[in-house]
Amino acid sequence: MKLLLFTILVSWASAQKCPGIFFNYRCYEIEIIKEGISNIHQLVFNDNDNTLYFTFDQIARTPSRALGFFNIDDESAGVIDGIRNATAVTIDKRRNRIYVGGSDGLFFLHQNKVPEKLPVNDNIINLFFKDVVYFVNRRRQAYKFDYGNVTPLQETNGEAVDKLIVDDDNNILFVQNRKLFRVKIGTRAINTHERYIVDVLTTDYLYKPYVCATSGVYVYNKYKYALDKVANIYDLRELTFTKQGEPIYAVVDNIVKLNYNPIPYIP
């Protein structure tokens, strides 16, 4: 497995004439920070304590899905119990609050990483936070949770949703059967980007939207209403960013961090 990952990383680097990974017009050094994590579902980074939170499969346990954490500073790691089939995780950066979704609904983590149940009783498979909590349930329906109130997401009403994000221009980007769609908040005019086969949707610290597809990593260009390619990286399971814009992603069964290397790009 390590040989396979090394081969993938080298092929990405050589394709861009960069000794590491070329991402978003910058060259980065590769650091594998965690290995042997099975099937990561969602991944977020908390800059307040330099800790990654991720949901993953525990093959030897039932229920199998769990919430894990890894601190980049001291390399401490563990599993947070109390959430059955934890599948989704997101973060309210301003309030420093981690939200987790599972078979029994929505939870948030106290500072000591103890989960507390919120008044959402649904089987949650995907989460995103921007001003409010957005969630997708196992029936592929999208909702908002805002200060105790649960309401259907009107912009996607009637559409099957697998995962979604909200960007810095109030666009909702969502995936349906690995196809990408986009709708402006407050409207019902859904646009398609069907030529992309999508695995991951995410945003950076400023809610700039990124799309991980089978053909590479793209950023949504709100001026051209199109996707601009920013990296030749494939088969990502999840992607998140530090406050400084450094990518952290899951590939195969590893978590990789890209550290900025200020060398000039050679085209």
Side-chain angles (χ1 to χ4, degrees), residues 198-212:
V198 177
D199 295 313
V200 178
L201 292 177
T202 191
T203 63
D204 66 10
Y205 192 81
L206 298 176
Y207 293 100
K208 185 176 182 178
Y210 287 80
V211 177
C212 303

Side-chain angles (χ1 to χ4, degrees), residues 94-122:
R94 183 177 63 84
R95 298 172 65 193
N96 190 26
R97 175 171 283 191
I98 305 295
Y99 292 94
V100 187
S103 295
D104 299 321
L106 184 66
F107 298 76
F108 79 91
L109 299 184
H110 290 282
Q111 288 186 349
N112 55 0
K113 295 185 175 60
V114 174
E116 179 177 323
K117 180 76 165 55
L118 292 166
V120 179
N121 298 309
D122 210 338

Side-chain angles (χ1 to χ4, degrees), residues 114-237:
V114 174
E116 179 177 323
K117 180 76 165 55
L118 292 166
V120 179
N121 298 309
D122 210 338
N123 191 341
I124 296 173
I125 61 170
N126 184 255
L127 283 174
F128 185 79
F129 186 91
K130 185 175 185 285
D131 301 323
V132 300
V133 176
Y134 295 83
F135 71 88
V136 177
N137 64 20
R138 191 156 297 279
R139 298 182 301 278
R140 304 170 76 193
Q141 300 166 329
Y143 290 85
K144 292 191 296 184
F145 175 73
D146 185 8
Y147 295 102
N149 296 315
V150 176
T151 56
L153 190 60
Q154 295 300 321
E155 292 83 354
T156 62
N157 191 28
E159 296 288 338
V161 177
D162 297 312
K163 56 187 70 175
L164 66 81
I165 60 173
V166 181
D167 74 2
D168 54 354
D169 196 37
N170 288 327
N171 293 298
I172 299 171
L173 282 75
F174 68 94
V175 171
Q176 179 187 101
N177 299 322
R178 300 184 75 189
K179 299 295 184 182
L180 180 65
F181 299 87
R182 171 178 50 85
V183 59
K184 180 74 74 173
I185 289 179
T187 75
R188 290 296 307 278
I190 296 177
N191 301 274
T192 64
H193 301 272
E194 289 194 350
R195 75 182 183 90
Y196 300 94
I197 301 174
V198 177
D199 295 313
V200 178
L201 292 177
T202 191
T203 63
D204 66 10
Y205 192 81
L206 298 176
Y207 293 100
K208 185 176 182 178
Y210 287 80
V211 177
C212 303
T214 55
S215 52
V217 180
Y218 298 80
V219 64
Y220 175 66
N221 188 322
K222 62 185 178 183
Y223 303 106
K224 298 191 300 183
Y225 307 106
L227 299 180
D228 295 334
K229 195 170 189 178
V230 294
N232 287 316
I233 307 178
Y234 314 102
D235 300 321
L236 298 190
R237 295 184 180 274

